[in-house]
Amino acid sequence: MIIGLTGSIASGKSTVSAMLAEMGYPIVDADKVARLVVEPGSETLEKIRVLFGEEVILPDGTMDRKKVGELIFNDPASRKKLNDVIHPAIRMEMLRQRGEFLDQGFETVIMDIPLLFESRLQHLVDKVLVVSVTEEHQLKRLMERNDLSEKEARARIASQLPMSVKEEGADAVIYNNGSVDETKWQLNRILDQWKRLQSE
C-alpha cells in the first residue's frame, strides 16, 4: 500500500510524518527529493544553468535559490520552464525511492508530498491521508512558527488549495487541532482500518 501524506502549511503534516517514521514506515519525502535533484553535479542543476545562466549558481556549485526565486517570481514563462525541468526529475526520483523500499520488502510506503493535489500526483498513491486543521489554528501556528504578521500569514494560506478541497479528495483525514496524543490516536485508527481492508 502506498500512502500519500499531505496537508497545508502549518497543518502539522511534518508531525504526522515524524510519527510514521518512528513507527518504522519508510518515507519518500518530496521536499528532500526536491533538494536532492538539484545537488551540485546533477543533471537537473545543469539544465537550470543552461536555462538561466551562471548567475543562478553559487560559488560552491549549489543552486542560488534566492536568485532563481527572483527570476521566476513575476515571470510565469520562466516559472513554467523551471517547473518543466524540476517536476519530472522530482517525480522520477520519488518513484525510484518508492520502488527501492518495495524491493526491500516494505508492504507500506509513505509518500510525503505537500503539494499532492496542486501537482495532481494522486495517481502515484493508493490512499490519500490529509492532515487538516481549522483556519484559526493554522493562522496562529503559522504566525508563531514563521514570525509573520496576520496579513502575511493569510496571504501564504490563500496561495494554497483550501483545506476543504483537500479533505474532499482524501481517503482519510486527521484533524490536528488537539494534542499530539489525539493526533497519534487518529493516525493509528486509520492505519489499522486500512490494513484490515487490505488483508480482507
Side-chain angles (χ1 to χ4, degrees), residues 108-163:
T108 303
V109 176
I110 312 297
M111 297 188 79
D112 179 343
I113 311 175
L115 301 176
L116 181 84
F117 291 107
E118 290 87 341
S119 305
R120 297 189 178 87
L121 296 177
Q122 297 96 310
H123 64 281
L124 296 184
V125 302
D126 303 316
K127 297 276 187 195
V128 174
L129 177 58
V130 167
V131 182
S132 186
V133 71
T134 61
E135 198 178 318
E136 182 191 347
H137 273 87
Q138 187 182 22
L139 193 63
K140 186 169 176 283
R141 279 182 198 164
L142 186 56
M143 286 166 70
E144 284 171 7
R145 189 187 79 186
N146 293 30
D147 196 19
L148 300 173
S149 70
E150 186 177 332
K151 191 182 173 191
E152 288 167 330
R154 284 191 189 280
R156 291 211 187 173
I157 291 167
S159 74
Q160 296 191 336
L161 266 183
M163 215 60 253

Side-chain angles (χ1 to χ4, degrees), residues 4-138:
L5 175 67
T6 195
S8 287
I9 193 166
S11 65
K13 178 190 63 61
S14 302
T15 302
V16 174
S17 188
M19 284 176 187
L20 287 159
E22 261 174 47
M23 292 173 190
Y25 289 99
I27 316 258
V28 177
D29 184 327
D31 283 344
K32 285 183 183 162
V33 169
R35 288 193 288 276
L36 181 71
V37 297
V38 292
E39 278 190 345
S42 65
E43 196 183 323
T44 309
L45 188 59
E46 196 44 49
K47 287 178 181 173
I48 292 167
R49 186 202 301 266
V50 170
L51 272 178
F52 299 107
E54 290 297 331
E55 61 182 295
V56 299
I57 309 295
L58 290 166
D60 64 359
T62 59
M63 183 171 87
D64 187 339
R65 291 174 182 279
K66 190 167 179 281
K67 188 75 191 163
V68 172
E70 286 165 9
L71 287 171
I72 66 167
F73 187 67
N74 291 314
D75 184 359
S78 290
R79 188 179 305 130
K80 185 182 182 311
K81 278 183 196 168
L82 181 72
N83 287 343
D84 286 351
V85 167
I86 286 187
H87 287 174
I90 292 173
R91 263 197 302 276
M92 247 170 67
E93 176 59 23
M94 281 169 63
L95 290 173
R96 189 195 68 74
Q97 288 186 15
R98 183 184 81 174
E100 209 168 77
F101 286 132
L102 293 172
D103 288 345
Q104 286 168 21
F106 287 102
E107 286 179 11
T108 303
V109 176
I110 312 297
M111 297 188 79
D112 179 343
I113 311 175
L115 301 176
L116 181 84
F117 291 107
E118 290 87 341
S119 305
R120 297 189 178 87
L121 296 177
Q122 297 96 310
H123 64 281
L124 296 184
V125 302
D126 303 316
K127 297 276 187 195
V128 174
L129 177 58
V130 167
V131 182
S132 186
V133 71
T134 61
E135 198 178 318
E136 182 191 347
H137 273 87
Q138 187 182 22

Side-chain angles (χ1 to χ4, degrees), residues 171-183:
D171 293 292
V173 180
I174 289 175
Y175 296 99
N176 189 30
N177 300 303
S179 68
V180 171
D181 286 342
E182 284 167 338
T183 299

